[in-house]
Amino acid sequence: MASVQKSGTRRAAWLPSGRALPARVWDARHRGIVLLLWAHVPFLFAFGVLTHHPAWHVLVDLQPVILAATAASLAALPRGLRAGVATFGLVACSAILVHFSGGVIEMHFHFFVVVGLITLYQDWIPFSVAIGFTVLEHGVVGVLAPTSVYNHHAAQSNPWLWALIHGAFVLAASVPHILAWRQNEDQAWRDPLTRLSNRTLLSDRLGRALAQAERRDTPLAVLFIDLDHFKQVNDTLGHPAGDELLVACSARLSACVRDDDVVGRLGGDEFAVILVGPSADAAEEIAQRLIDVIAQPTVVSGHEIVMTASIGIAYASAQRTAEELLRNADLAMYVAKSSGRAHYEVFDDAMHERAIDRLELEADLRQAVAADEITVQCQPIVELSTGCVTGGEVLARWTHPERGAVPPMVFIPIAERTGLICAIGTRVFALACEVAQRIGVIDPSLTVTVNLSPVQLNDEDLPTIFAGILAEYGVDPRRIVLEVTETVLMQDLAVAAHRLAELKKIGVRIAVDDFGVGHSSLSYLRNLPVDVLKIDKSFVDDLPSGGDLARMMIQLGRMLGLDVVAEGVESAAQREALQLLGCPRAQGYLYARPMDCDALVDELVAGRLAVHPNQVGARVPTTSP
Ligand code: C2E
Ligand code: MG
Ligand code: MG
């Protein structure tokens, strides 16, 4: 493969590469050519006899054609050899035809037809055999038996010169065939935008490279490259700018690798590089180099853009097919993307197992969502000063038939990636309204908090859907708090702000979940319709000693007139520290773990979880020891 690529770089740009046709296409074309070759045998026999040659003479002359047709028909022989002998057989037919006709010029046209036919192999070897044989046959037989080849004196007396003239004409007549051959290759194997190898060619070359690497015991690596956030360029600057960027990136990728290596575009913003021999040993170095060159600023449509790329590397090993290798590199790229982008990851078998596992889980989650198997638990939120329950946070739960409880931290990201989160979110919201309705009977001021995913915020129907569910359960929207994480707000503030404002209009309240971990600018708090801050557990964990950050957040909440809830309160010491800091509300294992909604209702009804300070039998700890 390396030699093909090398010669490819020296070859004139308009010439085809002569890479092997896909096996199915080659077989079909070869079958047609061999059929034609066999068809020549009776035809030539008849022609020979009709042109007054003894039958035995005709049969002797036809021997090479019969032998070539037989060999070309043997599927056990390598394809290259079969193409070679079929070519030889056909050109021999031309020579015999000319010979039987006594060198008649018109019969030479057969050579032109044959050479055209031979380009169907789209392979330089049979083509060269055809041209070479044509010249040699005219020269050698022209010397030995001039009248068998030429029917005019000039050629008979100077057979080699006329052999060359003949060859030159045949070659010239082949130019349109060669151009068509080249165009075929382009359409089948090139990406029209970047002119890089397309997926078909890349897989084909990878297959060959793998076979060669195995034979020669040399290393081979595949890099799967994906541009980060490329869609944004298309969306904001338009597709022509996106195309310009892709062309610039492909040129940089090609410039970074050796001639022997193959760069291809797999589609969209995905590229792949096959590194062979010494390059493969340096695959990680090269991957880093590619990341660096892609990260250099590019000017497209007058805008300077800095792109980054994520790369997956897979090394060849025995029993791996081209498709497997590409898939593994793709998987490693996916891991690079999900672990922060703009770097490379090397594939290992554990990655594959995890991917299979993820796919299975994804399929199971889809089923669980369809079968309404997502349930919720509810964790009480209490007033710190009295320990009384003021509401609860509804948390999604999924019990897998074989794996048991799958934590939301595992299945929520899968749901977000697959879009299942919208269905889950709607169901959880409905279940939250049901809880609100049930505990509202105990105390109509009790609130219910629901988590909202960023993906849900992209859904413009969300406010209408939620309003419908609220009406269905007859729940006062002011008793529902929607929680969004701070990181969400940082990602696409405009969309988030717009949707949250719409949600506010239906009457629900908004909380910022996991507050303090997002390292974001605080200015968004002023611009967003936020009612509640939930201090992340990590800050509560620092209590009671290092309470500076928690104090700042509580003060900030107070200054902005927001309610504040401390999350993940586990110890009495933390509770006391929070009380001293003036935090109004808390949630955590110290008070109660998330529980089934029936259990929550029972606890509230039985007074084991206090709703009012003077409730009899209240078990929830209060400030007084
Ligand atoms: P979150 O919204 O911050 O929810 C609080 C998480 O902390 C819950 O975990 C809860 O069980 C846990 N927790 C509460 N108190 C304590 C404590 O004292 N100690 C410790 N160690 N943990 C405590 P859970 O149920 O596993 O949920 C994890 C996250 O999954 C949630 O964090 C939320 O971001 C997400 N999630 C849960 N349900 C949903 C949902 O319906 N929709 C969306 N979009 N996300 C959800
Ligand atoms: Mg939450
Ligand atoms: Mg939280």
Side-chain angles (χ1 to χ4, degrees):
M1 187 196 74
S3 60
V4 173
Q5 174 78 11
K6 269 222 162 97
S7 63
T9 54
R10 270 185 250 117
R11 203 183 55 235
W14 62 273
L15 285 176
S17 66
R19 266 178 218 109
L21 285 170
R24 197 175 37 81
V25 179
W26 190 94
D27 286 344
R29 293 186 179 185
H30 180 70
R31 257 197 316 276
I33 288 171
V34 171
L35 203 69
L36 199 71
L37 184 56
W38 279 117
H40 272 79
V41 176
F43 168 78
L44 285 177
F45 182 81
F47 185 71
V49 173
L50 288 175
T51 46
H52 314 296
H53 293 83
W56 66 266
H57 175 147
V58 175
L59 280 175
V60 169
D61 279 358
L62 282 177
Q63 280 319 296
V65 178
I66 293 168
L67 277 175
T70 310
S73 308
L74 295 176
L77 295 180
R79 286 204 171 89
L81 186 60
R82 280 191 281 154
V85 289
T87 305
F88 167 79
L90 276 178
V91 201
C93 289
S94 308
I96 292 166
L97 194 65
V98 171
H99 163 62
F100 286 161
S101 70
V104 170
I105 286 173
E106 283 74 11
M107 293 305 168
H108 285 258
F109 295 164
H110 196 272
F111 282 101
F112 293 81
V113 177
V114 163
V115 176
L117 264 176
I118 290 311
T119 57
L120 286 177
Y121 282 117
Q122 294 190 189
D123 185 343
W124 286 115
I125 294 175
F127 182 80
S128 312
V129 167
I131 300 286
F133 183 91
T134 303
V135 175
L136 272 181
E137 195 269 342
H138 280 75
V140 173
V141 184
V143 170
L144 300 177
T147 52
S148 281
V149 193
Y150 305 115
N151 71 344
H152 59 97
H153 181 70
Q156 286 164 357
S157 58
N158 207 342
W160 277 108
L161 175 68
W162 283 83
L164 288 175
I165 292 173
H166 204 92
F169 271 111
V170 171
L171 199 58
S174 308
V175 170
H177 297 295
I178 290 172
L179 289 178
W181 162 11
R182 162 72 204 241
Q183 205 176 5
N184 269 354
E185 280 190 357
D186 275 6
Q187 279 166 1
W189 292 325
R190 294 262 160 223
D191 166 49
L193 177 69
T194 59
R195 312 281 313 141
L196 294 176
S197 309
N198 65 10
R199 184 181 279 272
T200 315
L201 178 57
L202 200 98
S203 306
D204 177 78
R205 310 237 357 219
L206 183 55
R208 287 154 194 263
L210 257 177
Q212 198 177 68
E214 206 172 323
R215 251 192 340 268
R216 298 188 183 165
D217 199 19
T218 48
L220 186 149
V222 179
L223 309 188
F224 197 108
I225 303 152
D226 191 288
L227 303 181
D228 300 327
H229 303 298
F230 173 74
K231 193 174 167 293
Q232 279 176 11
V233 177
N234 263 348
D235 290 349
T236 52
L237 299 178
H239 285 266
D243 285 354
E244 219 180 298
L245 189 64
L246 288 173
V247 172
C249 288
S250 64
R252 289 183 194 177
L253 294 178
S254 303
C256 262
V257 297
R258 301 176 350 149
D259 287 347
D260 287 2
D261 305 324
V262 185
V263 183
R265 180 175 173 219
L266 299 172
D269 58 346
E270 289 176 349
F271 298 88
V273 178
I274 306 171
L275 300 174
V276 287
S279 300
D281 280 333
E284 289 173 51
E285 225 171 274
I286 294 173
Q288 189 53 55
R289 212 188 308 149
L290 296 181
I291 289 170
D292 295 342
V293 291
I294 294 290
Q296 283 166 13
T298 319
V299 177
V300 287
S301 306
H303 298 266
E304 191 178 270
I305 293 175
V306 177
M307 259 287 137
T308 58
S310 302
I311 300 185
I313 305 176
Y315 292 101
S317 62
Q319 305 110 32
R320 289 239 160 100
T321 64
E323 279 316 308
E324 271 174 333
L325 207 56
L326 258 180
R327 189 204 58 203
N328 292 350
D330 186 3
L331 204 65
M333 186 282 293
Y334 174 84
V335 173
K337 273 241 187 264
S338 39
S339 58
R341 299 188 161 90
H343 69 287
Y344 68 81
E345 291 281 348
V346 179
F347 172 84
D348 62 49
D349 286 327
M351 254 181 211
H352 185 223
E353 276 156 35
R354 282 198 299 272
I356 299 277
D357 198 56
R358 206 175 46 231
L359 281 178
E360 279 174 8
L361 209 59
E362 207 175 287
D364 295 345
L365 180 63
R366 203 174 287 280
Q367 258 180 358
V369 171
D372 271 353
E373 284 167 14
I374 302 298
T375 57
V376 292
Q377 282 193 320
C378 193
Q379 186 180 30
I381 296 174
V382 303
E383 189 174 50
L384 254 164
S385 59
T386 59
C388 290
V389 176
T390 61
E393 177 175 6
V394 160
L395 297 155
R397 295 290 177 258
W398 175 31
T399 308
H400 188 278
E402 285 135 36
R403 300 171 196 235
V406 183
M409 292 306 230
V410 173
F411 76 82
I412 295 287
I414 298 177
E416 288 177 331
R417 217 176 30 246
T418 52
L420 288 168
I421 192 67
C422 290
I424 294 178
T426 306
R427 177 168 163 80
V428 169
F429 188 79
L431 292 171
C433 287
E434 194 189 317
V435 174
Q437 190 191 48
R438 290 176 70 189
I439 62 175
V441 176
I442 304 164
D443 183 334
S445 68
L446 289 173
T447 60
V448 174
T449 297
V450 194
N451 292 287
L452 212 58
S453 148
V455 181
Q456 284 173 278
L457 285 180
N458 290 329
D459 180 3
E460 55 185 33
D461 297 332
L462 196 72
T464 323
I465 295 173
F466 280 8
I469 297 172
L470 282 163
E472 192 184 321
Y473 285 90
V475 171
D476 180 353
R478 287 171 300 180
R479 294 181 50 222
I480 301 291
V481 182
L482 297 178
E483 284 189 5
V484 283
T485 59
E486 194 183 7
T487 12
V488 170
L489 301 176
M490 286 155 54
Q491 272 170 17
D492 201 342
L493 192 59
V495 175
H498 177 69
R499 197 75 68 230
L500 291 178
E502 286 180 333
L503 286 165
K504 274 286 291 204
K505 277 193 207 143
I506 65 170
V508 296
R509 294 196 289 150
I510 309 291
V512 177
D513 203 356
D514 306 339
F515 183 67
V517 293
H519 314 289
S520 63
S521 137
L522 292 178
S523 66
Y524 73 84
L525 278 181
R526 273 189 308 171
N527 302 325
L528 286 171
V530 176
D531 305 281
V532 185
L533 287 188
K534 290 190 82 176
I535 301 177
D536 189 65
K537 181 178 181 302
S538 55
F539 302 101
V540 175
D541 287 345
D542 288 344
L543 295 173
S545 48
D548 289 353
L549 289 170
R551 176 186 296 112
M552 274 165 55
M553 289 179 213
I554 293 163
Q555 280 173 357
L556 182 77
R558 198 177 295 138
M559 268 161 53
L560 296 172
L562 306 177
D563 194 5
V564 178
V565 181
E567 285 190 280
V569 181
E570 291 181 341
S571 70
Q574 288 171 341
R575 182 192 67 208
E576 274 147 32
L578 283 164
Q579 262 187 306
L580 283 173
L581 295 175
C583 183
R585 257 172 258 278
Q587 175 183 353
Y589 292 173
L590 175 67
Y591 299 100
R593 287 185 177 250
M595 59 182 85
D596 290 343
C597 301
D598 287 342
L600 176 73
V601 173
D602 289 350
E603 298 273 302
L604 290 171
V605 168
R608 285 190 294 273
L609 280 175
V611 179
H612 301 295
N614 54 357
Q615 207 165 5
V616 185
R619 199 204 59 190
V620 176
T622 59
T623 43
S624 45

